[in-house]
Amino acid sequence: MTTAGQRPMRADARRNYKRLLTEARAAFLEHGAEAPLEDIARRAEVGIGTLYRHFPTRLALQEAVYHDQVDELCVTAFALLDSEPPGEALPAWMRTFNGYATSKRGLMQTLKDVIDRRSDLFNRCHDDIQEAAEALLVDAQRAGTVRPEVNVTDLLRLTHGLSVATQHVPEDADRLLSYLLDGLRPQR
């Protein structure tokens, strides 16, 4: 919301920014990446000028929504590490990630299509998810609930694969996740 050398946003500007992100996320989910910006501003109960002050281009808004969603997943990961017993944060996060990815599949794919995968934003988001997943994995491995040879790339591929496999049958997610978690457990 601010960069080095900028003053922090006023409280009303922060509220407007958050409302715009929330409404943009909903509009992109409903109508795709080309959702009318005027509709997003109206839904957020701000003028189009306010939208453009925060997000000078459609791409800037799309990138902010993408970053916000990734940030939400990472915050959830670290909150689970603080609130769950050792080794239990990982399965809880995988359930959260799967539910999130399944419900947002079209939106995330649309946003990934318009955001350059070589961009600083994409790289930062990738690194943030990797860091959160790594913390969860290390916690689970220390607790003895995940094989020591599993790495973060394996974990993220499996988690992503589960979300793809259950996107049209979300009712199968818990059952398939239980099989996946059984496969991650140390072999006797």
Side-chain angles (χ1 to χ4, degrees):
M1 284 197 260
T2 61
T3 58
Q6 284 185 330
R7 288 190 328 213
M9 278 190 213
R10 296 183 330 257
D12 61 327
R14 280 193 309 275
R15 280 190 303 274
N16 288 343
Y17 182 91
K18 263 324 235 182
R19 280 200 320 253
L20 284 163
L21 279 182
T22 299
E23 295 305 332
R25 182 188 293 194
F28 292 152
L29 189 58
E30 291 170 27
H31 305 291
E34 296 306 313
L37 298 180
E38 294 80 10
D39 288 351
I40 293 169
R42 181 184 45 74
R43 290 166 66 153
E45 300 177 354
V46 300
I48 192 70
T50 299
L51 184 145
Y52 281 115
R53 267 192 301 284
H54 288 289
F55 309 103
T57 65
R58 176 182 296 278
L59 181 58
L61 178 58
Q62 292 165 334
E63 288 177 339
V65 168
Y66 178 72
H67 184 266
D68 191 55
Q69 292 178 318
V70 168
D71 191 49
E72 203 173 285
L73 285 172
C74 294
V75 166
T76 298
F78 290 107
L80 287 167
L81 281 170
D82 288 341
S83 66
E84 296 295 318
E88 291 185 28
L90 177 63
W93 185 74
M94 289 174 75
R95 271 186 204 83
T96 300
F97 186 98
N98 186 66
Y100 174 83
T102 300
S103 70
K104 305 287 191 230
R105 170 132 338 266
L107 173 61
M108 291 303 286
Q109 190 56 50
T110 297
L111 294 176
K112 283 181 179 180
D113 288 346
V114 297
I115 296 171
D116 182 356
R117 290 182 184 254
R118 295 166 302 204
S119 72
D120 288 341
L121 171 70
F122 189 81
N123 289 327
R124 269 194 324 270
C125 289
H126 177 268
D127 292 348
D128 290 348
I129 286 281
Q130 196 142 2
E131 179 184 341
E134 179 88 37
L136 292 160
L137 178 61
V138 167
D139 176 68
Q141 287 171 325
R142 283 185 186 142
T145 60
V146 172
R147 297 174 184 205
E149 70 271 16
V150 175
N151 64 46
V152 72
T153 301
D154 297 336
L155 177 66
L156 289 173
R157 285 179 180 162
L158 290 167
T159 304
H160 178 323
L162 177 66
S163 73
V164 170
T166 59
Q167 93 182 48
H168 297 298
V169 284
E171 62 275 8
D172 290 350
D174 281 340
R175 179 175 49 82
L176 294 177
L177 178 60
S178 73
Y179 300 156
L180 191 155
L181 291 169
D182 284 348
L184 290 175
R185 285 192 184 91
Q187 301 300 299
R188 290 179 179 56

